């Protein structure tokens, strides 16, 4: 149904229905919230994912399926961790085994290229592809291969693909207009229109947004089935089609 969202708490959602009557729903009864945008009637909306940035953002894809537009942090994380400046979370430090793909040079002609490999792999600015084990990603890419470690300046690297296994995360998810898609452990919306969300990493990152920055919310992702996962059904034709001159 079409409603006007008023607030979200830890266990309920308050809306106004089409008649203007306030209605409270338990969050357990709501699968998802999708905004109604009038401009969809005039065609596709071009989302600006680079607002406030001097250049288009890079992209970090996690094995959980989360998407974090942003850039590699200039302050490296200790150990085998990746420091990322996310458009939604700010600075986050994540173990390398949580990373699935990192796009560092989004304006490169090679930005859409992904190697088919069984190990970690890097696409370089000159078009070369190197495979091995990524031991570090900061000011330099540390790639272990053939019993040696190669150090590559990060400005020579377009993207890095990791061989980490996919680990989908259920529960609640939020999609933002800046291109972020994040798994969340908490979401609250105040009557003033401020949205507070917390991630599922440890320690959990937090962010405060305006409600207009949200593109969609799913409270129980297990109840949402991607169309691409459904099998095709073949329906037999009802005999010969009658021809009318």
């Amino acid at each position: 149904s079409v409603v006007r969202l008023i607030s979200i708490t830890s266990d309920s959602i308050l809306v106004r229905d089409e008649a203007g009557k306030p209605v409270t729903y338990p969050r357990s009864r709501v699968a998802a919230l999708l905004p109604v945008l009038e401009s969809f009637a005039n065609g596709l909306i071009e989302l600006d994912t680079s607002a406030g940035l001097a250049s288009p953002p890079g992209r970090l894809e996690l094995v959980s399926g989360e998407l974090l537009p942003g850039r590699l942090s200039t302050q490296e994380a200790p150990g085998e961790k990746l420091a990322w400046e996310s458009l939604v979370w700010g600075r986050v430090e994540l173990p390398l085994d949580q990373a699935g793909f990192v796009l560092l040079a989004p304006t490169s002609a090679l930005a859409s290229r992904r190697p088919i490999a069984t190990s970690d792999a890097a696409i370089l600015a000159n078009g070369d592809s190197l495979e091995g084990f990524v031991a570090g990603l900061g000011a330099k890419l540390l790639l272990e291969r053939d019993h040696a470690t190669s150090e590559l300046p990060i400005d020579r690297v377009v993207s890095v693909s990791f061989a980490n296994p996919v680990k989908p995360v259920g529960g609640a998810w939020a999609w933002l207009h800046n291109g972020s898609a994040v798994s969340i452990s908490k979401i609250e919306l105040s009557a003033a229109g401020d949205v507070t969300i917390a991630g599922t990493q440890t320690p959990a990152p937090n962010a405060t947004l305006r409600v207009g920055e949200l593109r969609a919310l799913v409270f129980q992702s297990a109840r949402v089935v991607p169309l691409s996962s459904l099998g095709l059904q073949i329906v037999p034709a009802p005999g010969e089609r009658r021809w009318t001159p």
Side-chain angles (χ1 to χ4, degrees):
S1 59
V2 178
V3 297
R4 181 178 181 84
L5 182 61
I6 299 176
S7 65
I8 301 175
T9 67
S10 59
D11 56 7
S12 65
I13 299 173
L14 177 61
V15 301
R16 289 191 184 275
D17 62 16
E18 293 182 90
K21 178 183 176 181
V23 181
T24 300
Y25 293 101
R27 275 186 39 173
S28 59
R29 290 187 54 197
V30 180
L33 290 173
L34 302 174
V36 176
L37 302 176
E38 294 180 359
S39 47
F40 271 131
N42 300 323
L44 296 176
I45 292 180
E46 182 176 350
L47 301 178
D48 182 10
T49 62
S50 58
L53 300 177
S55 60
R59 186 174 71 255
L60 171 60
E61 301 177 9
L62 304 183
V63 294
S64 62
E66 295 177 80
L67 304 178
L68 298 177
R71 61 179 177 80
L72 195 65
S73 177
T74 55
Q75 297 182 349
E76 296 186 30
E80 293 188 1
K81 289 187 176 181
L82 168 67
W84 187 257
E85 298 290 344
S86 163
L87 293 187
V88 59
W89 299 130
R91 178 185 169 88
V92 291
E93 296 183 2
L94 300 168
L96 288 175
D97 61 8
Q98 291 186 17
F101 176 78
V102 182
L103 177 62
L104 301 171
T107 59
S108 170
L110 302 172
S112 61
R113 180 178 166 188
R114 296 206 187 191
I116 300 176
T118 56
S119 58
D120 299 341
I123 300 296
L124 306 185
N126 63 2
D128 289 346
S129 176
L130 298 179
E131 297 182 21
F133 175 79
V134 174
L137 187 59
K140 295 181 178 180
L141 169 65
L142 305 182
L143 190 67
E144 297 179 358
R145 51 194 302 243
D146 299 329
H147 307 289
T149 300
S150 301
E151 296 186 1
L152 300 170
I154 204 64
D155 58 4
R156 289 182 54 195
V157 182
V158 174
S159 64
V160 179
S161 298
F162 295 84
N164 297 321
V166 175
K167 299 178 181 178
V169 174
W173 279 68
W175 285 262
L176 279 64
H177 281 291
N178 64 17
S180 300
V182 292
S183 170
I184 53 177
S185 59
K186 168 189 172 183
I187 178 167
E188 292 185 356
L189 169 64
S190 70
D194 294 320
V195 180
T196 301
I197 59 175
T200 54
Q201 293 86 16
T202 303
N206 291 270
T208 300
L209 316 165
R210 296 297 296 170
V211 67
E213 297 180 65
L214 291 174
R215 190 178 186 185
L217 289 173
V218 170
F219 297 101
Q220 301 179 53
S221 59
R223 295 172 59 184
V224 180
V225 180
L227 290 177
S228 60
S229 68
L230 300 178
L232 296 177
Q233 294 185 351
I234 300 177
V235 180
E240 294 184 2
R241 182 182 178 88
R242 186 174 62 184
W243 180 76
T244 303

